[in-house]
Amino acid sequence: MLVTSPATTIDADLVIVGAGPSGAAAAIEAARAGRHVVVVDKAVFPRDKCCGDGLTTGALRHLDELGLDPAAVPSWQPVHDVHVAGPNTKLVRFPLPEGRGQFAAITRRSELDAALVDLAIEAGAEVHQGCSLHGVHVAGAAGAAAARGAGAPVVVTAGELEIRADAMIAADGMWSPTRKHLGLAQPDYRGEWHAFRQYFRNVTPAAASELFVWFEKDLLPGYVWSFPLADGSANVGFGIQRGQGVAIQDMKRLWPDILARPHIAEVVGPDAEPEAPHRAWPIPARLGDLTLRHGPVLFVGDAAAATDPMTGEGIGQAIETGRLAAECLLEAADIDEAGARYERELRRGMVRDHGLANALAKVLGTGWGANSSVAIAGATGWTRRNFARWLFEDYPRAVLGTPHRWSRDMFTRPGAYR
């Protein structure tokens, strides 16, 4: 049910701060398991969210398993062909598997996030929108069966609400207010990546249906992208690693030059028109360095800095951490066990993935490395097919760094929404 934040006190099993993909995913899982879940978010959905809008295979599988219907997201655009160019290489087409589900898609975050909030409400979560966080009080890591009331493990004040709960999931973004209230904030933290994007209409047919990535020499290990949307428009932008190449303050100045580069202008097209002003945002990508749990509080998504450090992609990681946090809370005997399991599972899986991604980003950080990677990947039909999956799948990292995830079908697993 949708609630308009009356002045009241609520006793709940779980309180979630933040209704983005990580918070909504956690709410869906916990509410479907019969828990009383209260979600608060300062925004009113739909709301714009700066993002490249890309959905990897992992993100799509999570959305499929959560029951999200792509028809509920008007801008949803499946992607079948990926085009990648190195600093000194022409575009190489990398096809994704055909007839075996979706391996990549693009959708506006304003629509995706609103659809997930609707799904959480349908699941039974109590969602309070336009409800800013004012305070978090942790009484201690008491067991999940602890008596509520004054001794509740966690008490959250947001809007005109006081929510007393057995556990809390902080899904409140890179500059998590929860961290600040708990004294866990990182002073002067500005993220590992910075991204810049603008929506364009009247783009070329290719830009309206296919995905493009250009590794530009002056941006490495960053890149420029053009991602298609179902209404014939495109999300065009670029991302850079903080401290590498272009300075953050120069991104706005550089934008017209990037759009005018012949190989990019040819794809976007001469008739392309911006829909709205450009937007820029920082990206946290240091999973494992920040505190992942604090008593009855688990941090997920950007609040855990879970973005992929090689690509800057974070929707799949956000949903995965949200679902994992909910799963641990549902299955553990108490909050201590839940927190320990949550941290352990992330460190044996996603944290290792990100360690390998950091190493691969160093390869792409040189012109030689980026050119060689694209050239080798495009050498044969087999390498082109598997490179496309490597861009959007997690199986190469599972093979290299996490043997516990090996399976017979890890090289042939179908996509989502078959």
Side-chain angles (χ1 to χ4, degrees):
M1 54 183 167
L2 178 61
V3 185
T4 57
S5 301
T8 188
T9 298
I10 302 173
D11 290 330
D13 296 313
L14 173 65
V15 58
I16 300 174
V17 177
S22 57
I28 293 165
E29 295 285 13
R32 285 178 178 165
R35 302 299 193 272
H36 181 193
V37 181
V38 177
V39 184
V40 296
D41 196 296
K42 65 181 180 180
V44 176
F45 292 78
R47 55 93 175 97
D48 189 28
K49 176 70 174 178
C50 278
C51 185
D53 297 338
L55 298 173
T56 60
T57 314
L60 289 170
R61 289 196 182 114
H62 282 301
L63 293 171
D64 194 2
E65 290 167 1
L66 287 171
L68 180 74
D69 183 357
V73 187
S75 61
W76 187 285
Q77 175 65 53
V79 173
H80 304 289
D81 290 313
V82 179
H83 302 267
V84 182
N88 297 315
T89 65
K90 294 182 179 180
L91 283 167
V92 179
R93 173 180 171 269
F94 296 96
L96 289 164
E98 296 183 4
R100 303 184 58 229
Q102 295 184 29
F103 287 84
I106 314 296
T107 174
R108 293 177 189 259
R109 283 290 302 278
S110 58
E111 297 174 0
L112 174 68
D113 292 8
L116 284 171
V117 168
D118 289 344
L119 206 59
I121 294 171
E122 291 173 12
E126 184 178 324
V127 179
H128 297 261
Q129 304 182 40
C131 190
S132 297
L133 181 70
H134 300 312
V136 179
H137 175 71
V138 173
R148 297 195 183 107
V154 60
V155 178
V156 169
T157 54
E160 298 181 2
L161 299 174
E162 179 183 85
I163 306 145
R164 302 183 298 201
D166 295 328
M168 173 181 175
I169 290 178
D172 47 356
M174 173 175 161
W175 289 303
S176 167
T178 299
R179 285 192 181 278
K180 294 178 182 178
H181 287 298
L182 295 176
L184 302 173
Q186 300 291 310
D188 301 319
Y189 180 48
R190 294 294 182 270
E192 283 63 46
W193 280 77
H194 214 82
F196 193 102
R197 71 104 163 101
Q198 193 165 25
Y199 289 114
F200 287 86
R201 56 178 174 265
N202 298 330
V203 296
T204 66
S209 61
E210 300 175 15
L211 187 153
F212 293 83
V213 172
W214 297 272
F215 287 103
E216 298 290 283
K217 186 176 181 179
D218 56 334
L219 303 180
L220 295 175
Y223 56 92
V224 180
W225 71 76
S226 176
F227 292 172
L229 293 159
D231 59 4
S233 62
N235 178 323
V236 185
F238 72 106
I240 58 173
Q241 265 195 1
R242 181 172 290 276
Q244 301 291 327
V246 177
I248 302 300
Q249 59 268 26
D250 290 333
M251 294 183 79
K252 181 179 179 180
R253 175 191 58 78
L254 186 61
W255 186 226
D257 171 72
I258 289 176
L259 292 174
R261 296 179 185 185
H263 51 291
I264 295 173
E266 180 182 3
V267 170
V268 178
D271 299 324
E273 298 176 343
E275 282 189 7
H278 52 68
R279 299 282 300 275
W281 71 102
I283 299 174
R286 53 186 300 193
L287 181 68
D289 292 342
L290 302 181
T291 302
L292 295 172
R293 59 177 175 130
H294 179 79
V297 182
L298 305 183
F299 294 92
V300 300
D302 279 358
T307 300
D308 188 304
M310 182 179 70
T311 65
E313 189 268 331
I315 300 175
Q317 289 83 351
I319 298 173
E320 182 174 342
T321 54
R323 295 186 73 190
L324 177 62
E327 176 186 313
C328 292
L329 289 169
L330 290 169
E331 296 181 359
D334 56 48
I335 190 62
D336 288 333
E337 181 183 328
R341 178 184 168 189
Y342 175 67
E343 187 169 23
R344 182 174 63 252
E345 290 299 318
L346 283 181
R347 293 193 182 281
R348 70 193 292 257
M350 195 181 293
V351 171
R352 291 186 185 179
D353 287 349
H354 287 192
L356 179 59
N358 271 317
L360 294 172
K362 293 179 181 178
V363 175
L364 294 175
T366 66
W368 177 88
N371 284 321
S372 298
S373 296
V374 175
I376 293 171
T380 69
W382 185 88
T383 58
R384 285 192 292 274
R385 288 191 300 275
N386 283 278
F387 181 73
R389 290 196 66 180
W390 175 80
L391 283 174
F392 294 98
E393 279 271 35
D394 62 5
Y395 76 84
R397 300 183 196 178
V399 171
L400 293 171
T402 52
H404 68 277
R405 293 189 297 184
W406 292 4
S407 64
R408 290 180 179 273
D409 66 345
M410 62 186 175
F411 294 108
T412 58
R413 191 178 174 193
Y417 296 105
R418 295 186 67 186

